[in-house]
Amino acid sequence: MSSITVLAVVSEIYPLIKTGGLADVAGALAGSLAAESVEVVTLVPGYPAVMNKINTAEAVLTVKALFGGAARVLRAKVVGLDLFVLDAPHLFARPGNPYAGPDGRDWPDNPFRFAALCQIAARLARGECPGFRPDIVHGHDWQAGLTAAYLTYDGYPRPATVITIHNLAFQGQCPAALLTPLGLPPRAFALDGVEYYGTIGFLKAGLSLSDRITTVSPAYAAEIRTPEHGMGLDGLLRARSESLTGILNGIDDAVWNPREDAWLAAPYSIQTRAKRGQNKPVLQKHFGLAVDQKALLFGVVSRLAWQKGIDLILANLDLIERIGGQLAVLGSGDPSFEEAFRAAAKARPGRVAALIGYDERTAHMIQAGADALLIPSRFEPCGLTQLCAMRYGAVPVAARVGGLTDTIIDANEMAVAAGIGTGIHFSPVTSGTLGAAIERTRKLWDAPMVFDRLRANGMKTDVSWRAPAAAYARLFRDLIPAGAQ
Ligand code: ADP
Ligand code: GLC
């Protein structure tokens, strides 16, 4: 198999900069595609967190004026990632996360910041970096959406383009008046171009103008073609059905490996999973919960956002206590949820505890020490925490939506009898159905052999990137004209 080259375009990448699963996917997919003879070079913004980790780099492109300042593109290898870094201090040398300042508010010039990323992507796609000519340009989410637009309207032949939707809730819209300032021609403002309900839509542009669209699970690929989950884009996605596929995410099984996890008090494998129990009291102490092997310990590792159904967990705290359970929450996000968990922890000492913030070590400790992981998402394009939970033997208790549908086998009576369940599903997504799922978890927990079977089934499931990477590689190769490979 001859090798092909992909230019990936993304606004965050693990382990350099991460706000969610997008970064995990960008990092791990690039690495996994190497086994498929697909070489990926990823273009990312030069945020301080990225620039600080570069040791040696070569400037491969210099741009005098990029939306109000000079910029360079650096080629660098950082922690095994092959990167183009867009060093544009006037756009990216700022505190905060990739999208917002320390006050949590989005930067007002985000349209220009990510249009800059897309313009540079288009120039790299055209071969402006000597020795680099990609066969495919693979953009992720709205931040990469204008890449296909710049490649379309400059009128030159272009490499094939793929856009992956990680979350339709973030669409990147800006006023139509920015069309010319963004360097787009008047004809781009069309129904089959960047126009979106009278504004400019970055994601909409990517979905209209890319050769292929993927999303991160087959179930979400079906859901987003319905008005209920399409967030205004379902019509376009239905029209592009032939070009839309769902490819499930995996997780990096080197980062998430319970046998060799240095953050665990007692690493374990499926064979030695009896040792897993030693991680539970350590987790309980870490959170200040009562140390009690018999308490059914629920964990949460999540952005604290409406999408994730966090309010539904808050509505079930009484129930969790009543069934003799405990809750350990790790997360950050919406200040009202952060406050609600702080208050709940105070009101229910030893039973409910919350660490507000982002902490990878604690995330690993929860996956290894909790008995079950709560994931009551209202929608979930794929979800990675249920995959981590399964690999670590925490039983996912999850809404039956999106990728959670595709990755978990509900332990109903039939599945238990057949010995194939891997978790607990509920739908529709309400506090009542979550409560019923929590009670069902308690019943399964009361049958230790059955519960252990659920754990073992999860741990046996292949949640790695191997199969998904092969699927992306097939999709990319299908887009390259015969003879060019
Ligand atoms: P989303 O991208 O919608 O937030 P995913 O489940 O796809 O959801 O990915 C979330 C990723 O972020 C997982 O790798 C998860 O372990 C991690 N994560 C979420 N919240 C935290 C946190 N507070 N601390 C550490 N890791 C977190
Ligand atoms: C988004 C989605 C999540 C998905 C992740 C990576 O953040 O919310 O479901 O797993 O992207 O694709």
Side-chain angles (χ1 to χ4, degrees):
M1 202 165 27
S2 64
S3 100
I4 63 170
T5 304
V6 171
L7 172 64
V9 187
V10 71
S11 58
E12 46 184 277
I13 190 163
Y14 183 84
L16 300 181
I17 177 118
K18 163 168 162 178
T19 69
L22 171 63
D24 293 306
V25 172
L29 176 58
S32 308
L33 279 166
E36 302 292 328
S37 301
V38 177
E39 285 171 29
V40 181
V41 188
T42 307
L43 172 66
V44 292
Y47 313 111
V50 175
M51 298 301 292
N52 291 340
K53 284 182 192 123
I54 298 179
N55 287 326
T56 52
E58 186 196 351
V60 293
L61 188 66
T62 311
V63 185
K64 281 208 195 96
L66 184 68
F67 300 127
R72 299 182 305 165
V73 178
L74 307 175
R75 177 91 184 247
K77 283 239 158 81
V78 190
V79 288
L81 299 166
D82 195 353
L83 301 177
F84 286 120
V85 177
L86 175 53
D87 179 21
H90 62 296
L91 299 172
F92 300 119
R94 302 178 186 183
N97 78 24
Y99 319 110
D103 62 359
R105 279 204 260 169
D106 281 355
W107 295 111
D109 61 345
N110 273 350
F112 291 101
R113 298 173 77 227
F114 295 104
L117 186 73
C118 297
Q119 252 188 19
I120 294 299
R123 294 179 64 163
L124 292 170
R126 293 258 181 261
E128 286 197 32
C129 164
F132 179 78
R133 201 170 258 285
D135 301 291
I136 304 283
V137 182
H138 182 196
H140 295 271
D141 270 352
W142 74 265
Q143 296 87 353
L146 285 192
T147 308
Y150 290 122
L151 283 169
T152 301
Y153 297 113
D154 67 6
Y156 299 106
R158 63 175 202 190
T161 49
V162 177
I163 186 152
T164 296
I165 304 168
H166 295 264
N167 196 334
L168 213 51
F170 303 106
Q171 302 190 351
Q173 270 177 272
C174 68
L178 294 188
L179 192 73
T180 307
L182 287 172
L184 291 163
R187 71 194 160 92
F189 200 70
L191 206 61
D192 61 355
V194 308
E195 190 275 336
Y196 185 50
Y197 294 110
T199 70
I200 296 169
F202 278 48
L203 182 62
K204 189 285 175 147
L207 300 180
S208 293
L209 300 168
S210 299
D211 297 307
R212 287 279 194 288
I213 304 168
T214 73
T215 188
V216 288
S217 69
Y220 194 58
E223 288 171 0
I224 57 180
R225 283 176 254 201
T226 67
E228 197 191 341
H229 292 283
M231 304 213 175
L233 286 163
D234 49 294
L236 169 59
L237 291 165
R238 277 196 299 280
R240 296 224 55 201
S241 268
E242 303 255 296
S243 306
L244 166 62
T245 45
I247 302 176
L248 268 184
N249 287 333
I251 53 170
D252 186 328
D253 54 8
V255 173
W256 293 98
N257 179 1
R259 206 160 56 172
E260 283 167 25
D261 191 326
W263 279 322
L264 304 189
Y268 55 95
S269 66
I270 183 164
Q271 288 81 19
T272 64
R273 66 185 181 281
K275 280 205 291 190
R276 187 180 183 279
Q278 295 172 35
N279 295 299
K280 181 167 171 176
V282 178
L283 180 66
Q284 287 168 323
K285 274 192 209 130
H286 184 71
F287 271 88
L289 292 166
V291 174
D292 177 0
Q293 197 60 251
K294 291 206 196 76
L296 170 52
L297 175 50
F298 292 95
V300 173
V301 179
S302 185
R303 287 188 288 121
L304 301 181
W306 182 85
Q307 172 193 345
K308 302 290 181 179
I310 299 302
D311 48 317
L312 310 179
I313 299 174
L314 287 163
N316 275 291
L317 297 180
D318 278 343
L319 174 69
I320 290 173
E321 276 204 58
R322 202 162 59 236
I323 62 162
Q326 293 180 336
L327 180 67
V329 177
L330 170 67
S332 64
D334 187 328
S336 66
F337 290 141
E338 293 184 350
E339 199 33 55
F341 278 121
R342 281 200 192 98
K346 225 182 243 163
R348 301 166 193 266
R351 310 305 299 180
V352 172
L355 290 177
I356 303 302
Y358 176 89
D359 181 46
E360 279 173 30
R361 174 166 163 253
T362 304
H364 284 238
M365 289 172 71
I366 290 179
Q367 299 292 14
D371 300 303
L373 194 80
L374 295 181
I375 318 171
S377 305
R378 291 193 164 88
F379 67 94
E380 197 61 78
C382 180
L384 300 177
T385 57
Q386 80 279 17
L387 304 180
C388 303
M390 284 158 65
R391 179 138 167 88
Y392 275 57
V395 173
V397 179
R400 190 183 282 116
V401 293
L404 299 168
T405 311
D406 290 318
T407 51
I408 296 167
I409 302 173
D410 178 55
N412 59 35
E413 268 184 51
M414 296 275 283
V416 167
I420 57 169
T422 59
I424 289 134
H425 263 325
F426 62 93
S427 79
V429 190
T430 66
S431 56
T433 52
L434 171 60
I438 288 170
E439 286 181 317
R440 198 146 72 84
T441 310
R442 173 73 222 196
K443 285 213 182 86
L444 290 162
W445 165 257
D446 285 337
M449 303 269 282
V450 174
F451 205 80
D452 182 60
R453 187 66 190 262
L454 293 184
R455 280 192 205 296
N457 286 344
M459 293 182 80
K460 267 192 272 181
T461 305
D462 180 4
V463 292
S464 77
W465 270 104
R466 275 176 286 281
Y472 277 100
R474 273 196 302 277
L475 179 110
F476 293 154
R477 285 206 158 80
D478 280 352
L479 284 170
I480 301 176
Q485 293 186 46

